[in-house]
Amino acid sequence: MHKGQMPRRKVMWEVVTVVVTIYAAIEIPLGMVFPVIRNATVLIVELLLTGFFAADLVYRYREARAQGPEARARYLKSWIWIDGLATIPFGTVIATPFRALRLLRLLRLVKLLRVSSAANRLKNVQIVNPSVVRMAVLMFWILLTAHFVAVGWIALDAVDPALVGSARYLQAIYWTSTTLTTIGYGDLTPVTAPQTIYTIFIQILGAGLYGFVIGNIASLIANIDVAKTQFREKLERINTFLRYRSIPADLQTRVNDYYEYLWNSIRGHEEATILDELPLSLRTQIAFHINSEIIEKVPIFQGAGEQLIRDVILNLQATVFLPDDYIVRKGETGREMYFISRGSVRVVSGDEQTVYATLTDGQFFGEIALLLATERTATIRANDYCDIYRLDQDTFNRIIERYPSFAEHIREHAEQRRQEMGL
Ligand code: CMP
């Protein structure tokens, strides 16, 4: 199991907690305005709920204890009260003739505070788009609010007395929806003073909620693809600059094509900038993850040991070359070698009249100058867009020194290529 990832068992427990809490949040208020049925099923459900809440308390305590004495102390100071009070089965099992005491059942609802934090953790698991989670949580709170408001309306005896059971609830929820959405048909209106005061409150709440929801949805939509928005803004800045500097039109097009490629291939993420912000340990892990793709593609790495791969991976730098770009020029001093992740390049003579070879995914070049400390023996140009990884000379030398069999492999390749060129 990867460190930091939630074990399945924990995820299951979170899910069950959320489901049970939501059930309680719906059922408890209803139990206050509708006559409580006391049959065996209800009692069993209540006992199960109580058992669950007790188990949850023990679970949370043990979780906190496992995290260390500080977390344990924090739990004993705060959440244990909430979890403890939620466990006591006021109202049904502990029957009380006083209506006010039944209100104590509402204590179970404080567990709802955990729903949002559970949803937050879900966001981190990355299975679902965080914006979608936010939207779902928002909807959940709105629906739950509507439920409470409707129950309040029933509690104030505002519903038509002729209606019974679910019809009562339906009318109450209808009143709630017309009031909360500020539509207010006015077909159901308050009669008594408490009902009127309640209505005023709900109207004000509705207006606020309406604004809140609209604002939230607007920001959600804006945030669904922040990367794209930022990328577009960046491109706009670049184009302004290009125009201001009167860069030739075809060069401008090339720059734009490059960014389009960047967006399509790696979503325009500036790896280097993002990685720079991270602490070394995280950066290492991420580099490992990103670059392991190229390791899988390159045949000469296949038999290599893990240590070698680690050494290489951490020092690879991803770059992009555009069609016809010069990657290496004959006669230059070589300071790095290259691995092709995607794309194809041609190896040509200095005058570009002879094509020695075409290299594609998984192949490498630029090793001769490094191995023999000579000038580049050929020119290399990109045939199309190429994702290429660079390995600097220092790392190359270190690796050649440390891993003789790998060095031997590269030497063979270099020797063969030199022969092909007639050197
Ligand atoms: P280097 O001399 O550093 O730079 C040019 C590169 O072209 C060279 O290393 C080799 O990696 C590559 N190269 C040269 N000749 C061939 C060939 N015949 N086939 C494939 N690659 C070659």
Side-chain angles (χ1 to χ4, degrees):
M1 178 74 45
H2 217 270
K3 216 176 144 207
Q5 199 178 327
M6 259 210 287
R8 185 167 288 268
R9 191 173 48 86
K10 281 193 188 179
V11 176
M12 281 306 295
W13 190 262
E14 292 288 345
V15 171
V16 174
T17 315
V18 169
V19 171
V20 170
T21 309
I22 292 173
Y23 168 79
I26 294 169
E27 188 268 339
I28 291 172
L30 284 180
M32 296 186 157
V33 290
F34 288 105
V36 183
I37 311 158
R38 282 183 184 282
N39 59 23
T41 327
V42 170
L43 224 57
I44 287 169
V45 170
E46 185 64 24
L47 277 173
L48 280 178
L49 278 184
T50 306
F52 173 79
F53 281 116
D56 192 47
L57 187 144
V58 175
Y59 172 82
R60 303 279 167 197
Y61 172 73
R62 288 175 54 169
E63 280 284 285
R65 198 180 53 185
Q67 277 171 25
E70 259 176 48
R72 178 176 164 269
R74 222 177 314 127
Y75 182 76
L76 287 180
K77 252 194 251 159
S78 55
W79 270 98
I80 192 151
W81 293 103
I82 290 168
D83 289 337
L85 285 170
T87 305
I88 307 171
F90 292 110
T92 31
V93 180
I94 303 178
T96 149
F98 305 107
R99 213 172 162 193
L101 268 182
R102 272 206 258 144
L103 282 175
L104 287 172
R105 289 194 79 208
L106 284 173
L107 282 171
R108 285 207 162 155
L109 300 190
V110 287
K111 283 263 192 185
L112 278 172
L113 294 175
R114 284 209 193 277
V115 173
S116 286
S117 66
N120 268 332
R121 277 192 293 275
L122 191 66
K123 257 188 236 170
N124 300 338
V125 199
Q126 283 297 324
I127 312 166
V128 256
N129 186 330
S131 298
V132 175
V133 177
R134 249 181 78 192
M135 188 83 107
V137 171
L138 184 68
M139 285 306 294
F140 165 73
W141 285 115
I142 290 171
L143 290 177
L144 201 64
T145 308
H147 177 65
F148 287 136
V149 172
V151 167
W153 189 241
I154 299 175
L156 289 171
D157 286 328
V159 178
D160 186 348
L163 296 172
V164 287
S166 55
R168 279 180 84 72
Y169 183 75
L170 189 63
Q171 195 185 54
I173 205 82
Y174 167 75
W175 173 84
T176 306
S177 101
T178 51
T179 312
L180 272 187
T181 56
T182 74
I183 291 172
Y185 284 130
D187 50 349
L188 299 173
T189 43
V191 180
T192 65
Q195 288 170 10
T196 311
I197 293 167
Y198 188 68
T199 308
I200 292 171
F201 270 113
I202 301 305
Q203 282 165 343
I204 293 169
L205 176 76
L209 204 65
Y210 198 69
F212 178 75
V213 169
I214 299 283
N216 252 286
I217 289 179
S219 104
L220 274 176
I221 290 171
N223 281 327
I224 277 182
D225 209 341
V226 192
K228 178 116 200 188
T229 315
Q230 284 181 356
F231 193 74
R232 227 182 270 133
E233 282 169 6
K234 182 175 169 182
L235 203 57
E236 211 114 293
R237 276 204 307 278
I238 291 166
N239 278 321
T240 309
F241 162 79
L242 294 177
R243 274 195 301 274
Y244 174 70
R245 283 295 190 167
S246 315
I247 304 295
D250 56 337
L251 194 49
Q252 289 196 24
T253 313
R254 232 167 126 73
V255 171
N256 277 282
D257 287 351
Y258 163 71
Y259 277 106
E260 194 184 320
Y261 174 77
L262 214 57
W263 176 257
N264 288 331
S265 65
I266 50 172
R267 286 276 160 267
H269 289 314
E270 294 139 290
E271 263 168 44
T273 355
I274 293 174
L275 290 181
D276 272 353
E277 280 186 5
L278 294 173
L280 187 66
S281 65
L282 284 179
R283 205 186 315 162
T284 313
Q285 286 177 40
I286 292 185
F288 203 80
H289 184 79
I290 295 175
N291 295 348
S292 59
E293 175 204 48
I294 178 73
I295 296 293
E296 279 160 22
K297 276 189 182 168
V298 178
I300 52 160
F301 285 127
Q302 238 82 108
E306 197 181 324
Q307 190 55 42
L308 164 67
I309 289 180
R310 272 199 114 74
D311 269 355
V312 173
I313 266 186
L314 295 180
N315 291 289
L316 287 176
Q317 274 196 328
T319 40
V320 173
F321 288 96
L322 280 68
D324 291 328
D325 267 356
Y326 287 91
I327 306 173
V328 160
R329 279 179 205 260
K330 184 180 163 77
E332 281 180 350
T333 320
R335 294 208 176 75
E336 52 225 344
M337 73 170 291
Y338 304 83
F339 297 92
I340 307 173
S341 171
R342 191 171 46 193
S344 105
V345 302
R346 56 184 182 274
V347 184
V348 293
S349 59
D351 57 8
E352 297 186 35
Q353 297 305 313
T354 322
V355 178
Y356 297 120
T358 301
L359 305 176
T360 59
D361 299 18
Q363 292 181 292
F364 61 87
F365 57 86
E367 78 291 359
I368 299 180
L370 299 192
L371 268 179
L372 306 180
T374 56
E375 298 170 341
R376 296 288 191 198
T377 54
T379 291
I380 297 198
R381 295 187 73 177
N383 283 332
D384 44 26
Y385 280 99
C386 294
D387 288 338
I388 286 184
Y389 285 82
R390 272 200 310 232
L391 188 70
D392 64 282
Q393 184 159 23
D394 289 343
T395 317
F396 178 82
N397 291 342
R398 211 174 53 234
I399 285 166
I400 289 296
E401 228 169 77
R402 260 194 225 163
Y403 307 97
S405 65
F406 183 75
E408 194 48 44
H409 227 75
I410 298 236
R411 272 199 194 96
E412 276 168 23
H413 267 274
E415 198 44 50
Q416 194 187 341
R417 286 173 171 178
R418 277 163 53 80
Q419 276 170 15
E420 275 170 29
M421 279 186 296
L423 289 175

